Amino acid sequence: MTDDLGSEQIAAITAFVDTEALPPDGRPTALILFGTMYVRPPVEIAAERYHRGLAPLIIATGGVNRHDGTREARTFRRLLLERGVPDDAIRCEDRSLNTWQNVELSLPFLHEALASGLAVTAVCKWYHRRALHMLKTLVPGLGPFHGITWEPPSAGRPITRTDWPAMPGGRKRVMREWEEVSRRVADGSLQDLVLTGGAWH
């Protein structure tokens, strides 16, 4: 599966798509949970940070899931409530159908976070680079922001930073992300980003 990609190219693609840039230790930030059918990993991240005083505002996104018909943001909210996160800490955007709309329809909540002095942290798949670019593109004044990541499954195995080239499902997803983001930054439909000082700019 990797015979058409050299080790240097694999390393470069992995580094490019990797969204992780953890918030500084002890610094509260607003979390935006990007819609996904795999709701539990983002929920666990958000609930754990909330209970440590590090996520006073959690923005749950995602409309109707095409696989099971549930509304992803509502599932996020239900699971967060079950884990002791109070409803007044949760904002729910449950109409979006894609990553762009996750951000676009959450703009009031993102502006609320920024107005309260909170930086934003994306909680997304480790290779979901377009989510970061869409935040930067759609949220003027976003400032430095962060990413906390998780590994989604494919065919019963997690797609990791080391295993993706040998996994047909993982390879397809990572390559698509690299190609799409590179193309859209080049054509100007997404703003570019750099990772510096532990944050996205």
Side-chain angles (χ1 to χ4, degrees):
M1 288 298 297
T2 61
D3 54 357
D4 59 333
L5 292 175
S7 60
E8 290 185 6
Q9 188 176 17
I10 289 171
I13 292 169
T14 304
F16 177 83
V17 299
D18 196 341
T19 59
E20 186 145 291
L22 299 176
D25 287 344
R27 181 184 179 188
T29 64
L31 305 184
I32 176 168
L33 313 187
F34 279 85
T36 174
M37 65 181 293
Y38 308 110
V39 294
R40 291 190 183 275
V43 164
E44 299 298 343
I45 290 167
E48 187 270 341
R49 290 188 68 82
Y50 174 83
H51 289 298
R52 289 172 54 208
L54 300 176
L57 182 65
I58 300 169
I59 303 166
T61 76
V64 176
N65 182 288
R66 66 182 181 275
H67 299 286
D68 61 14
T70 62
R71 289 192 182 263
E72 294 164 347
R74 294 181 189 177
T75 304
F76 278 142
R77 171 181 261 162
R78 176 177 57 79
L79 294 174
L80 286 166
L81 292 171
E82 288 176 3
R83 285 156 179 76
V85 178
D87 197 49
D88 63 7
I90 305 168
R91 306 293 181 270
C92 198
E93 177 288 298
D94 64 0
R95 295 180 293 130
S96 57
L97 299 177
N98 53 48
T99 305
W100 182 270
Q101 289 182 355
N102 289 161
V103 177
E104 185 177 44
L105 298 176
S106 295
L107 285 174
F109 308 136
L110 291 161
H111 291 148
E112 176 188 355
L114 296 173
S116 67
L118 293 170
V120 171
T121 297
V123 179
C124 57
K125 303 175 189 78
W126 71 266
Y127 55 80
H128 197 187
R129 178 73 184 249
R130 85 189 94 142
L132 305 184
H133 288 266
M134 290 175 182
L135 275 169
K136 177 67 174 175
T137 301
L138 284 167
V139 190
L142 178 63
F145 65 105
H146 303 278
I148 299 176
T149 65
W150 54 279
E151 298 172 341
S154 176
R157 292 172 51 200
I159 300 171
T160 70
R161 291 165 175 84
T162 54
D163 291 349
W164 70 264
M167 301 173 65
R171 181 186 177 94
K172 177 181 178 181
R173 295 178 200 180
V174 170
M175 293 297 290
R176 181 182 62 190
E177 202 71 26
W178 173 60
E179 291 166 354
E180 178 181 339
V181 172
S182 299
R183 174 182 57 79
R184 294 188 62 183
V185 168
D187 71 19
S189 61
L190 290 177
Q191 291 190 26
D192 203 0
L193 282 174
V194 293
L195 179 62
T196 181
W200 292 103
H201 296 259

